[in-house]
Amino acid sequence: MTSTAGIILAISLMIIMFGLGLSLTTQDFKRIFLYPKAILVGLTSQIVLLPVIAYGVAIYFDSSPIIAVGIMLLAACPGGATSNLVTFLAKGDLALSISLTAFASILSFITIPLILQFALNTFLNDDQVIVLDTFSIIKQMFVIIIIPVSLGMLVNTRATKFARSMDKAVKIASTIIFVLVMIGLIYALRAVFFDYLKQAGLPVIMLNIATMLVGLILALTFRLPKNQIVCISIESGIQNGTLAITIATLTLNNAEFAVVPAVYGLLMYLTGTIAVVLGRSFIKNTNQTTTV
């Protein structure tokens, strides 16, 4: 993806996050921290189980060293603005989704170097020491997620009627941008798409589906509310491909490691769309049962 496309994507996500903030209040976040079980379940799925599943996928498919490191790199970068958007569209717990993204981003300063060090040593016998640009990761999280969401929440507090009147428009706009981003990614990768897909497509799909299912099972096991179950399943399966590509090209200085995140960056919109449909159906059926 070109730098121009990257900027357009970042701006699009900022607009989406502002729109999501219009539907949130501080009470949404207070409720999560008063009952933190969902946060702990979500972080366990993202930080602990996700890398383990990724390692299993790399071994199962007997992936080449480059692809195996790419799979582990992707698993080291959970959450992100896209998972927040998918959760919103699926009618999951948006406040929980944003909270998990924030916590996972903070913990990633520790987990990403550890996971990458393990991957390089295991698959490449490389003793390279991983040093992350912590400030860049913090800046990305704040500029694309925290600041726009906070501004949206401020508007919701000061102009509640306006925020509510914008709810339907925000959902429509978010869906349109979601589709346009998917089309843009296909176009950006058109020259190498099938080659990339052949190398990493099946492992990426397997990782995506397996992690969503594990998140779903874990949330069901702990008897969380339905909207939190949807959220944790999505947060477990949707990774921060943009961050993974950035680390591959800038920190590791090897664009080949970006093959898996690049393929994932496209395919996750397809699986994300399926997650939205299933999540909305799950919530709808639950509401109908409760009403009856």
Side-chain angles (χ1 to χ4, degrees):
M1 186 182 296
T2 64
S3 58
T4 301
I7 292 171
I8 293 172
L9 176 58
I11 293 174
S12 299
L13 289 175
M14 289 168 67
I15 293 171
I16 289 171
M17 298 313 295
F18 171 77
L20 302 191
L22 291 175
S23 64
L24 290 171
T25 67
T26 55
Q27 292 300 318
D28 294 318
F29 291 95
K30 287 179 180 178
R31 186 173 61 253
I32 290 171
F33 293 104
L34 286 173
Y35 306 97
K37 182 167 68 172
I39 285 281
L40 295 176
V41 170
L43 288 177
T44 299
S45 182
Q46 287 182 303
I47 303 299
V48 179
L49 298 181
L50 173 56
V52 173
I53 295 169
Y55 178 74
V57 168
I59 296 298
Y60 178 79
F61 285 99
D62 194 21
S63 303
S64 68
I66 292 294
I67 297 300
V69 172
I71 291 172
M72 295 302 295
L73 169 59
L74 184 62
C77 302
T82 305
S83 64
N84 302 151
L85 171 60
V86 175
T87 298
F88 172 72
L89 294 176
K91 296 189 175 181
D93 190 326
L94 180 58
L96 175 61
S97 177
I98 293 172
S99 299
L100 284 171
T101 296
F103 274 104
S105 297
I106 293 170
L107 290 174
S108 69
F109 304 148
I110 300 171
T111 58
I112 290 177
L114 291 175
I115 293 170
L116 283 185
Q117 203 74 67
F118 170 79
L120 292 172
N121 293 342
T122 301
F123 298 110
L124 290 176
N125 295 318
D126 190 339
D127 293 327
Q128 176 183 352
V129 176
I130 307 300
V131 180
L132 290 181
D133 186 348
T134 301
F135 177 73
S136 293
I137 297 176
I138 294 175
K139 183 172 66 174
Q140 182 190 72
M141 183 184 72
F142 269 81
V143 171
I144 295 179
I145 300 175
I146 303 300
I147 293 176
V149 167
S150 298
L151 289 174
M153 291 176 64
L154 181 63
V155 172
N156 188 18
T157 301
R158 300 292 177 85
T160 305
K161 290 184 179 178
F162 169 77
R164 288 178 179 173
S165 67
M166 291 294 292
D167 183 60
K168 186 175 181 180
V170 166
K171 289 179 180 177
I172 294 173
S174 298
T175 304
I176 292 173
I177 293 174
F178 187 75
V179 173
L180 290 177
V181 167
M182 183 173 68
I183 293 172
L185 282 168
I186 294 174
Y187 181 78
L189 293 171
R190 66 191 184 283
V192 293
F193 172 67
F194 288 108
D195 184 43
Y196 280 7
L197 193 61
K198 185 178 179 181
Q199 293 182 56
L202 194 54
V204 162
I205 287 291
M206 182 64 72
L207 177 65
N208 201 193
I209 294 174
T211 49
M212 279 190 178
L213 285 175
V214 167
L216 174 66
I217 293 169
L218 196 63
L220 284 169
T221 300
F222 282 89
R223 300 179 182 276
L224 295 176
K226 299 297 189 286
N227 62 339
Q228 292 186 342
I229 290 173
V230 170
C231 168
I232 289 174
S233 178
I234 290 171
E235 284 290 327
S236 299
I238 301 292
Q239 317 311 324
N240 192 340
T242 304
L243 177 59
I245 291 172
T246 301
I247 292 173
T249 54
L250 297 182
T251 303
L252 299 178
N253 196 28
N254 189 335
E256 289 186 305
F257 291 142
V259 168
V260 171
V263 172
Y264 174 81
L266 173 63
L267 295 182
M268 76 170 179
Y269 285 96
L270 300 177
T271 54
T273 300
I274 295 172
V276 167
V277 173
L278 293 177
R280 292 173 71 92
S281 176
F282 181 58
I283 297 294
K284 182 179 179 180
N285 290 338
T286 300
N287 290 341
Q288 288 177 344
T289 302
T290 303
T291 302
V292 175

